Amino acid sequence: MTRMMYPMAVRWESTSRCNLHCLHCYVEAGEKQDSLNELTTDEIFRTLDQLRDLGIIIFEIEGGEPLLRRDVLKILDYAADRIPMVTLETNGTLITKELASKLQKTKVNDVVISLDSHSSEFHDSFRGRIGAFDRTLNSIRFLRRACVPASVRTVITKGNWNKVEDISVLILKLGIKRWFITSFFPGGRGLRNLHISLTPREAKQVVEKCLELQTQLGKDLSISLDETFIRFGENSPDSIKKMLSLTRFCPAGQMICEITAKGNVIPCPYLREFVFGNIRTNSFKEIWDSRSFALLKGRDRIVFCRSCKYYRSSCIGGCRAAAYHKHGNIKGPDTLNCYILFEKIERTA
């Protein structure tokens, strides 16, 4: 496996402010979070210039809630002139008819809306605000009418894993063609809500249901699952593998990285303890090329797992954040997403 010189995708947490209070939020965003010392418009412009020069392909603007930034449309335009693929991730509660029209005039490639249920009761509870569900649906309708490219992201938890088909029906009714399914990961506020985590068996059933739906729906709806579901793709039909992330290993610090609202560069949103630099004091290139990032680079970084039959062909040690939060060692085993442990669970079922 040849590692790219620089990451394929850079994600930017545009702000720690948010109008919701989601159970899983790794940023612990909220209305009481202040915006002091967050990157200014000029600072993110300079960063985007650096990313362009390094050949970064994807730039994802997220939060918090990025639409709380007054300069977000200006940043979208600036990014789209420099990076081939620019996406905006939003909870979808702040998009009005007027804002949808303004987004249509930008060059954003995709507006990804969070939608976690076909039920207002569950969605509002999970997102921490009554009325969030209705506002999100209205936002999607505004985007569709304005011809803004849009997709939906669903976080799968204990409360909705068996409602995948119901959610798909709603997504189709809304005219959405792309659906991203993400597994709940215990970081930030999520560490206080571990009860919503899936069991391995539930996760496997999610993948099986998605395969069934993708087979039925074909081109009407493209379903993609993130890399946390990848252990269920081994020896599976090609149709399942196409739904799973193309990443056959943890991409943190190799294919992706995160820039926080205050400029810290971290491997991924769940490894916030590993700050490898700040773009206010060093260029992105200097930070990426530093020895700090070497901690996550290289195929043979997880000694514990090297003898496993799945190591080189499949997981390559699994999620580094999961290993760190479970065992306190970023080079430890990912026992939350382990093929061998899952096989043992299956045998004893």
Side-chain angles (χ1 to χ4, degrees), residues 7-221:
M8 179 175 72
V10 174
R11 303 170 65 176
W12 173 45
E13 294 171 9
S14 57
T15 181
S16 58
R17 291 175 295 143
C18 187
N19 59 319
L20 302 185
H21 194 80
C22 305
L23 292 180
H24 69 300
C25 183
Y26 51 78
V27 183
E28 301 202 57
E31 292 179 316
K32 293 183 179 180
Q33 295 279 14
D34 66 68
S35 58
L36 294 176
N37 206 34
E38 292 185 343
L39 294 177
T40 65
T41 309
D42 288 341
E43 285 173 328
I44 197 62
F45 281 2
R46 286 196 294 272
T47 301
L48 284 164
D49 289 340
Q50 295 173 25
L51 299 182
R52 173 202 57 198
D53 295 343
L54 296 175
I56 305 304
I57 298 172
I58 302 170
F59 184 66
E60 302 176 7
I61 302 177
E62 52 186 35
E65 175 47 56
L67 293 178
L68 289 174
R69 283 191 67 123
R70 295 179 181 178
D71 58 358
V72 69
L73 295 177
K74 186 186 298 185
I75 292 171
L76 278 171
D77 267 334
Y78 196 89
D81 285 337
R82 287 155 179 80
I83 310 295
M85 179 74 176
V86 177
T87 66
L88 175 69
E89 299 244 1
T90 170
N91 62 43
T93 61
L94 299 177
I95 298 175
T96 61
K97 182 179 179 180
E98 293 72 26
L99 182 53
S101 179
K102 291 178 181 178
L103 284 167
Q104 194 276 331
K105 295 174 184 176
T106 70
K107 300 171 186 176
V108 64
N109 296 96
D110 196 16
V111 177
V112 186
I113 306 289
S114 298
L115 179 64
D116 303 299
S117 180
H118 67 298
S119 156
S120 61
E121 182 180 3
F122 178 83
H123 182 91
D124 290 355
S125 174
F126 185 71
R127 293 286 164 177
R129 173 154 294 187
I130 295 173
F133 179 78
D134 291 336
R135 294 176 73 173
T136 295
L137 296 194
N138 284 334
S139 291
I140 293 173
R141 295 183 183 111
F142 289 141
L143 291 172
R144 293 283 298 144
R145 290 169 191 164
C147 297
V148 177
S151 58
V152 161
R153 184 181 304 282
T154 300
V155 179
I156 296 294
T157 63
K158 184 73 73 176
N160 65 356
W161 72 270
N162 59 347
K163 303 295 182 183
V164 169
E165 185 167 3
D166 294 326
I167 300 170
S168 73
V169 171
L170 174 58
I171 290 173
L172 285 169
K173 285 182 179 178
L174 291 167
I176 294 296
K177 299 291 186 180
R178 295 182 306 281
W179 186 19
F180 302 105
I181 293 181
T182 303
S183 177
F184 164 73
F185 186 90
R189 195 176 293 133
L191 290 171
R192 301 192 292 277
N193 293 291
L194 297 177
H195 61 282
I196 68 176
S197 301
L198 295 180
T199 65
R201 190 165 291 106
E202 289 165 346
K204 183 180 181 182
Q205 289 182 51
V206 169
V207 175
E208 291 171 346
K209 173 55 70 173
C210 287
L211 171 62
E212 178 186 322
L213 289 171
Q214 189 67 86
T215 302
Q216 292 173 0
L217 298 172
K219 294 181 180 180
D220 289 339
L221 182 63

Side-chain angles (χ1 to χ4, degrees), residues 275-294:
V275 179
F276 294 154
N278 190 288
I279 58 171
R280 282 179 165 138
T281 54
N282 294 96
S283 71
F284 184 87
K285 183 181 187 301
E286 289 171 336
I287 295 169
W288 186 262
D289 290 342
S290 70
R291 289 191 175 184
S292 297
F293 255 116

